Amino acid sequence: MSIIEWTTRIIKGNATGTGWITLPVELHIETSLGKWYDIKFTTNKKETFILTLKLLKQKNVWGFYIPKSLCTEHNLITQLVSLTLQPSEYFPTKISADKRIRLPKSVVECLNIKENELYEVQLNIHDKIFHEVVLITKIDRSSRTAADELYFTIRIQDIPTNTKVKVKMNKKLEQLISDKNKSSEDKVYLPNLFPDGVIGKLNHEKMILFLGNHKPVVTPILLDITDLIHYFGCYYADGTKSGYGWSISASTPEQAVYYIIKYKSIISQPNLNFQLTYTLRPSVKDDPPLIKKRLTNLWFEKAGVEISQDRVYILQSSIQHASEEIHYLSHNPIGSLRIIDNKGLTLELHVKLLRYVENFLIQTNNKNLLWQFICGVMEGDGSVGGGKKRCRIHITCKKSDKLVPKILTKLGIYQVYKEYVKGKNVLEISFGLIPILENILVIQKLLFKYYPKRRKTFIKRLLNLPSVLYILREREKLSHFALIPLKENSLLNDAILISRLKELRMELTR
């Protein structure tokens, strides 16, 4: 409709001092009762006011109530005013202390809003604009005489509360439901993981997921699992699987950068915080504040993560004497970073995706993908063994772990790996040279990729082995005992293997 103009007087709307502006009968055809309008009026004193008001009916007369406070402060009753009126995109209301906004009955009826629908809303609070996707919820008053009410809750942290707000219901979101036909062997349609969730389609790639009392998360609608196999191997080793929030540990800045990138490919609106744990050795005499400052600066420089110094925890080493430090080989000089998202739904999503990955790996015979997962596990639970004259790979896991042994069996190395019991609930799986050489393509690319010190140790030990030097034609003789497995597995004249080993050597010189 076009802008409506007319002139009238403000009269008393009731006995309390509230004002009333009457809408002429000839203008009824251009307006609708119960709808909200932006009204601008100017008094004969040249004062101008702009209000958003609902068109109401009082004793067969249509018009608008003017707030008592405004009428009293500016002595508006009986004043002649010139008005313009046009439909408002907003309706005025109040945001409560717990960030709830109740929907007026007129708005609910006009837009036919129902419980569990999702809307994009725009809020104007003191001329500051906020945007949010909200879930419509019902206040159940079935046990009382009052009618049910619909409302939504705002999740924006720094939004003002207990104040007036103008609300615009931008649009209703299309909802997504579980559909098994939209998943394939290597792609997961995320609504299938949450049949009880309320899921809105933000665009052709993204969705927003509401589930119970959890804060919602924004994720892709479709995820290619093959792009996440290695990451979920890392999460399998070092990520939380239960509790109130999601987290994963990074021992190096390279791991931290990689984990955050992959996390962001799943969670589109990241909300991360960081915690650093550092073990203090007896020989270190620096004061804790200096250590904290050095560590936070290092992690920011290397990984771009900002760690509050009150989130750096310094632990005392169990070593009693500095002379014992020679045996303290596992010490991490930069500490261990915990990457944290406190949303419970982030945790639940990761756990469901991990289970999906596990089922996928059990069913697939793709050795490349199986090795990707194992290399991911070894980012957290792997190590290089065998001493300076041998090269073995160790994986530490729980005795109850069935997945890692099952994958190693599928990879065909079940006959060569050995198990060592390290503790009551800890198992160490170890395998050596032949499986490493047979799977050099993926191992060269991914093994300890984000743990530079461990990767360098692995490459040095591998390239110094007599068998490897013989394969590279840098050693003329090899014992009969060492030569037999190389011949049996056709590893002596493998051009691809030789090329990959040379690339590893070049990597050491970079």
Side-chain angles (χ1 to χ4, degrees):
M1 61 174 278
S2 58
I3 296 176
I4 297 174
E5 299 180 359
W6 81 100
T7 301
T8 189
R9 287 188 185 277
I10 299 177
I11 62 174
K12 283 186 177 182
N14 55 34
T16 65
T18 300
W20 175 266
I21 291 177
T22 299
L23 182 72
V25 174
E26 62 269 21
L27 298 180
H28 289 192
I29 193 170
E30 297 186 56
T31 55
S32 300
L33 282 172
K35 288 195 174 181
W36 296 85
Y37 293 89
D38 290 327
I39 295 179
K40 178 181 179 181
F41 63 88
T42 304
T43 69
N44 50 15
K45 295 180 181 179
K46 305 303 180 183
E47 292 178 304
T48 298
F49 303 90
I50 300 174
L51 302 172
T52 300
L53 302 172
K54 186 195 294 188
L55 181 57
L56 300 170
K57 185 177 180 180
Q58 179 185 225
K59 297 180 180 179
N60 296 321
V61 178
W62 291 18
F64 303 91
Y65 282 112
I66 307 300
K68 173 185 174 181
S69 59
L70 195 66
C71 292
T72 302
E73 182 180 351
H74 297 278
N75 195 24
L76 295 179
I77 304 298
T78 74
Q79 285 203 44
L80 186 68
V81 293
S82 299
L83 301 102
T84 60
L85 174 150
Q86 63 181 353
S88 178
E89 294 180 316
Y90 293 88
F91 63 87
T93 184
K94 184 178 180 181
I95 181 169
S96 68
D98 57 358
K99 298 184 180 179
R100 290 187 180 190
I101 293 178
R102 297 189 180 188
L103 293 170
K105 185 178 179 182
S106 59
V107 174
V108 172
E109 292 176 348
C110 179
L111 298 178
N112 194 25
I113 299 174
K114 294 182 174 61
E115 183 183 11
N116 285 333
E117 290 183 334
L118 298 173
Y119 275 83
E120 287 183 3
V121 300
Q122 181 174 306
L123 309 177
N124 184 330
I125 303 177
H126 310 312
D127 293 326
K128 188 174 182 181
I129 302 300
F130 300 88
H131 295 271
E132 184 87 288
V133 174
V134 299
L135 172 67
I136 305 300
T137 309
K138 183 171 71 173
I139 302 173
D140 186 0
R141 291 199 172 97
S142 58
S143 61
R144 289 171 281 178
T145 57
D148 293 343
E149 275 189 271
L150 297 181
Y151 72 94
F152 58 82
T153 302
I154 298 300
R155 305 176 307 277
I156 302 170
Q157 290 186 356
D158 58 350
I159 199 167
T161 59
N162 274 332
T163 188
K164 293 180 180 179
V165 57
K166 289 183 178 181
V167 180
K168 179 182 177 182
M169 307 295 286
N170 276 342
K171 72 172 184 177
K172 182 168 73 172
L173 267 62
E174 174 189 348
Q175 292 200 22
L176 303 175
I177 60 173
S178 178
D179 185 347
K180 292 183 179 179
N181 293 325
K182 292 187 177 180
S183 284
S184 61
E185 182 183 1
D186 56 355
K187 290 183 173 60
V188 56
Y189 180 66
L190 259 62
N192 287 343
L193 301 182
F194 296 92
D196 298 330
V198 180
I199 303 169
K201 183 178 181 180
L202 298 176
N203 53 49
H204 68 285
E205 291 182 345
K206 302 290 184 181
M207 70 180 208
I208 184 167
L209 167 64
F210 290 79
L211 185 69
N213 294 323
H214 291 299
K215 290 183 179 180
V217 293
V218 175
T219 73
I221 297 172
L222 198 67
L223 274 177
D224 188 343
I225 285 298
T226 59
D227 288 339
L228 296 167
I229 294 292
H230 180 263
Y231 168 70
F232 273 99
C234 302
Y235 176 67
Y236 184 85
D238 273 341
T240 51
K241 319 299 186 304
S242 61
Y244 299 101
W246 170 90
S247 67
I248 189 170
S249 289
S251 299
T252 68
E254 291 82 359
Q255 286 182 349
V257 171
Y258 172 67
Y259 295 163
I260 292 171
I261 289 173
K262 287 300 184 180
Y263 158 90
K264 288 181 177 180
S265 73
I266 300 171
I267 304 297
S268 300
Q269 293 180 343
N271 184 24
L272 294 174
N273 56 82
F274 306 96
Q275 175 182 306
L276 189 67
T277 303
Y278 175 79
T279 302
L280 186 65
R281 296 187 298 180
S283 61
V284 178
K285 303 302 181 184
D286 291 341
D287 292 332
L290 292 176
I291 296 173
K292 290 183 178 183
K293 184 176 181 180
R294 175 179 62 83
L295 292 173
T296 53
N297 288 343
L298 187 149
W299 279 94
F300 180 75
E301 178 186 341
K302 299 290 186 181
V305 298
E306 295 188 41
I307 312 167
S308 172
Q309 290 194 22
D310 61 4
R311 298 280 285 170
V312 179
Y313 301 97
I314 298 180
L315 308 178
Q316 193 66 43
S317 169
S318 59
I319 296 175
Q320 299 299 316
H321 304 286
S323 60
E324 296 177 60
E325 288 194 39
I326 191 171
H327 303 294
Y328 194 50
L329 301 179
S330 61
H331 173 72
N332 189 338
I334 62 172
S336 178
L337 182 72
R338 198 75 182 169
I339 305 167
I340 302 167
D341 180 338
N342 288 317
K343 289 196 189 81
L345 201 45
T346 300
L347 171 65
E348 191 161 342
L349 176 58
H350 269 78
V351 170
K352 285 180 179 289
L353 285 171
L354 178 60
R355 299 297 171 251
Y356 192 96
V357 168
E358 290 176 359
N359 290 332
F360 173 80
L361 293 172
I362 289 170
Q363 295 173 23
T364 188
N365 290 315
N366 186 319
K367 288 191 173 184
N368 180 58
L369 294 177
L370 294 169
W371 268 109
Q372 284 186 36
F373 185 82
I374 290 297
C375 287
V377 172
M378 287 192 287
E379 281 290 334
D381 288 341
S383 60
V384 185
K388 293 183 178 180
K389 295 185 178 180
R390 291 188 297 170
C391 184
R392 299 190 67 81
I393 294 174
H394 300 309
I395 307 174
T396 303
C397 60
K398 293 181 180 179
K399 278 186 183 180
S400 57
D401 191 327
K402 305 296 182 185
L403 183 64
V404 170
K406 187 174 290 187
I407 291 176
L408 292 175
T409 299
K410 291 187 73 171
L411 288 169
I413 62 173
Y414 66 97
Q415 291 179 329
V416 294
Y417 78 70
K418 294 183 179 181
E419 298 180 355
Y420 304 92
V421 178
K422 295 187 71 176
K424 284 186 176 180
N425 297 312
V426 181
L427 184 70
E428 185 175 88
I429 299 174
S430 174
F431 56 90
L433 179 63
I434 300 303
I436 293 171
L437 296 179
E438 287 181 325
N439 298 279
I440 195 66
L441 290 176
V442 67
I443 285 178
Q444 181 229 358
K445 180 181 178 182
L446 286 178
L447 185 63
F448 305 130
K449 181 177 181 179
Y450 303 103
Y451 208 130
K453 182 179 179 181
R454 196 168 284 173
R455 181 172 174 85
K456 186 176 181 179
T457 299
F458 163 73
I459 295 173
K460 280 184 174 180
R461 290 186 183 178
L462 178 67
L463 295 179
N464 285 331
L465 292 176
S467 295
V468 173
L469 292 172
Y470 188 81
I471 291 172
L472 291 170
R473 301 183 179 94
E474 296 175 7
R475 182 186 176 103
E476 293 183 1
K477 296 181 179 181
L478 191 66
S479 69
H480 180 70
F481 177 78
L483 195 59
I484 290 176
L486 298 182
K487 289 182 177 179
E488 288 178 346
N489 292 281
S490 305
L491 296 172
L492 287 177
N493 297 301
D494 188 325
I496 294 177
L497 172 61
I498 293 172
S499 174
R500 298 299 180 183
L501 291 171
K502 288 181 177 180
E503 287 177 14
L504 286 173
R505 175 165 288 166
M506 290 178 62
E507 183 179 325
L508 283 180
T509 63
R510 289 201 290 266

